């Protein structure tokens, strides 16, 4: 896996093969980060969560481009260990990544200490995991106001029951790969008027 931009541009990282693991193609990653930049999200200093991380190609690309912290969510222990090993190979400070093996639905069921600015979701195809993950990200306050959520999904996926806080910004296809991007907007709190005094 070759990193395309940032401080580690050109670095190659070893990967593992695993069932359901689909590293994002270089052309898709390049297009994706161009879209993110066009949406005004600065990766420098950003907090990123990479759900169903696999090889971590998107999370490492963010770290190379200045992300402050990336949480890799990967249940496969061998893949999670490879993520941690690759972080050490790049000389990344331990405070900038979390890569312990974790089940996505169980982890996302608990609110984070600090919300995230960018979320990648790349669920295994055919397991109907996208909708529950999206709902947990929104309901459990994993997303900061204005955060972007990026999903890679099946080409013919049909589903429109996304959380109300998510506005679909882009729906693009790259060969057999389909990318969806939403912006998360936290609903404004309605203030209760104070009772009038006689």
């Amino acid at each position: 896996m070759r990193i395309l931009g940032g401080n580690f541009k050109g670095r190659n990282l070893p990967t593992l093969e695993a069932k359901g693991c689909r590293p994002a193609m270089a052309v898709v990653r390049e297009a994706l980060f161009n879209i993110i930049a066009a949406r005004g999200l600065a990766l420098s200093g950003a907090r990123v969560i990479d759900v169903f991380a696999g090889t971590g190609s998107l999370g490492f690309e963010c770290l190379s481009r200045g992300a402050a912290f990336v949480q890799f969510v990967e249940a496969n222990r061998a893949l999670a260990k490879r993520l941690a090993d690759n972080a050490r190979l790049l000389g990344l400070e331990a405070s900038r990544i979390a890569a312990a093996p974790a089940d996505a639905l169980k982890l996302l069921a608990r609110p984070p200490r600090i919300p995230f600015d960018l979320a990648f979701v790349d669920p295994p195809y055919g397991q109907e995991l996208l909708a529950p993950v999206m709902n947990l990200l929104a309901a459990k306050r994993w997303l900061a106001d204005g955060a972007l959520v990026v999903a890679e999904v099946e080409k013919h996926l049909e589903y429109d029951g996304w959380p109300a806080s998510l506005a679909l910004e882009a729906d693009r296809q790259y060969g057999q790969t389909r990318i969806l991007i939403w912006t998360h907007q936290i609903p404004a709190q309605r203030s209760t008027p104070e009772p009038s005094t006689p």
Side-chain angles (χ1 to χ4, degrees), residues 4 12 19 28-29 42 49 56 73 75 86 89 95 103 106 112 118-119 126 131 136 138-139 144 150 156 172 175 193:
L4 303 177
N12 286 306
K19 184 179 179 180
V28 175
R29 275 186 285 149
I49 183 167
V73 183
N86 280 343
L89 189 64
S95 61
D103 176 271
K106 290 180 181 177
L118 174 62
L136 286 171
V150 179
H156 301 296
R172 308 277 178 86

Side-chain angles (χ1 to χ4, degrees), residues 8-61:
F8 304 126
K9 182 178 179 179
R11 291 284 298 271
N12 286 306
L13 296 176
T15 60
L16 296 174
E17 291 186 8
K19 184 179 179 180
C21 180
R22 306 181 309 276
M25 296 182 299
V27 64
V28 175
R29 275 186 285 149
E30 192 66 58
L32 183 53
F33 282 94
N34 286 339
I35 295 171
I36 289 171
R39 292 291 182 282
L41 177 64
L43 286 173
S44 180
R47 288 174 52 80
V48 179
I49 183 167
D50 190 352
V51 186
F52 306 109
T55 63
S57 60
L58 297 174
F60 281 117
E61 199 72 50

Side-chain angles (χ1 to χ4, degrees), residues 86-174:
N86 280 343
R88 285 189 288 271
L89 189 64
L90 291 173
L92 290 165
E93 302 92 337
S95 61
R96 292 187 65 193
I97 78 149
D103 176 271
L105 296 182
K106 290 180 181 177
L107 184 143
L108 296 176
R110 305 186 305 270
R113 187 172 58 86
I114 304 172
F116 290 79
D117 307 298
L118 174 62
F120 294 111
V121 184
D122 187 5
Y125 287 175
Q127 296 188 28
E128 299 184 355
L129 289 169
L130 181 63
V133 165
M134 298 289 285
N135 280 285
L136 286 171
L137 284 171
K140 298 299 181 179
R141 301 187 296 278
W142 283 86
L143 305 171
D145 193 31
L148 292 184
V149 182
V150 179
E152 179 183 336
V153 300
E154 295 95 325
K155 182 178 179 180
H156 301 296
L157 178 74
E158 293 185 10
Y159 184 78
D160 60 3
W162 316 116
S165 63
L166 295 175
L168 186 64
E169 299 281 352
D171 184 347
R172 308 277 178 86
Q173 282 191 205
Y174 302 91

